[in-house]
Amino acid sequence: MEEGMQLIDENGNFNVDGLQDFVTATEFAQSGLSYAIVAIIGSQSSGKSTLLNQTFHTKFKEMDAYNGRSQTTKGIWIAKCSDIDPFTIVMDFEGTDSNQRGEDDAAFERQSTLFALEIADVVLINMWCKDIGLEHAASRPLLKTVFQVIKRSFKQPKKTLLFVIRDHTKVWTCFLRSIL
Ligand SMILES: Nc1nc2c(ncn2[C@@H]2O[C@H](COP(=O)(O)OP(=O)(O)OP(=O)(O)O)[C@@H](O)[C@H]2O)c(=O)[nH]1
Ligand SMILES: [Mg+2]
C-alpha cells in the first residue's frame, strides 16, 4: 500500500471497504490481541507525516514545499509498520488549525482528536517549540481537548502521550528552563 489507506475522509466518512481490504492485505486478524496503534496529531504542516515516515518507514504523503504551504494529509490515514514486532498500525491525522477548513475546523479537530485518544495506545502530540507558553498558539485548542479528555477518562486503560517538540533551539531551551 503506497501512501497507506484513507480510513476517514475529510468529510468524516468512514471507509468500511478500505478497512476490510487493509485488514486482509496486512493479515491484521492473525495478530489476535497482540498489536499496537500509534497516532499523531498536531497543527498543519508541522511535519507529522514526515516524522511518521522517518520513524516507522511508512509512505504517508508529505507536503512538497516547492508547491507552497498547504494542507497535505486530509482526513485520517493508516498504514502498517512493516518492521516492528508486535503488529503496529500507524495513524496519520489531518493537521489542526488549517486555513482550508477555516471556521469548520473546530468540530473536525475535536472529533478527530477524541478518535485518536480513544483508539491509539500511543498518541504523539506534535507541536512547535515556539508555541509553548503562548495564549493564542495554534496548538492550544488541541491541547485543551487532549487534557479535557484525559481528565474525564481516568478509568480507561493507560495511554502513552508523547509530546514531540519541533524546532527546538538553544534559545528555547533557556526559555523552557525559565518557565518549568
Ligand atoms: N526543516 C524541516 N522541515 C521539515 C521537518 N519535518 C518536515 N519538514 C517539512 O515540512 C513540510 C510539511 O511536512 P509534512 O510532514 O507534510 O507536515 P504535516 O504536519 O503532515 O502536514 P499536514 O498533513 O498538512 O498537516 C514538508 O515540506 C517537510 O519536508 C523538519 O524537521 N525540519
Ligand atoms: Mg501530513
Side-chain angles (χ1 to χ4, degrees), residues 64-89:
D64 178 3
Y66 291 105
N67 289 330
R69 189 184 160 120
S70 63
Q71 190 181 45
T72 307
T73 307
K74 292 181 181 171
I76 301 169
W77 290 73
I78 60 173
K80 183 195 171 191
C81 170
S82 52
D83 47 7
I84 292 187
D85 192 32
F87 193 105
T88 301
I89 289 184

Side-chain angles (χ1 to χ4, degrees), residues 40 42-53 60-66 69-74 92-96 98 126 128 166-167:
I40 191 161
S43 57
Q44 190 196 292
S45 306
S46 57
K48 298 181 295 302
S49 304
T50 309
L51 179 67
L52 292 181
N53 291 342
F60 292 119
K61 196 169 167 193
E62 296 173 15
M63 188 186 95
D64 178 3
Y66 291 105
R69 189 184 160 120
S70 63
Q71 190 181 45
T72 307
T73 307
K74 292 181 181 171
D92 191 14
F93 277 65
E94 178 175 310
T96 57
S98 90
N126 196 47
W128 297 117
R166 305 297 288 256
D167 283 11

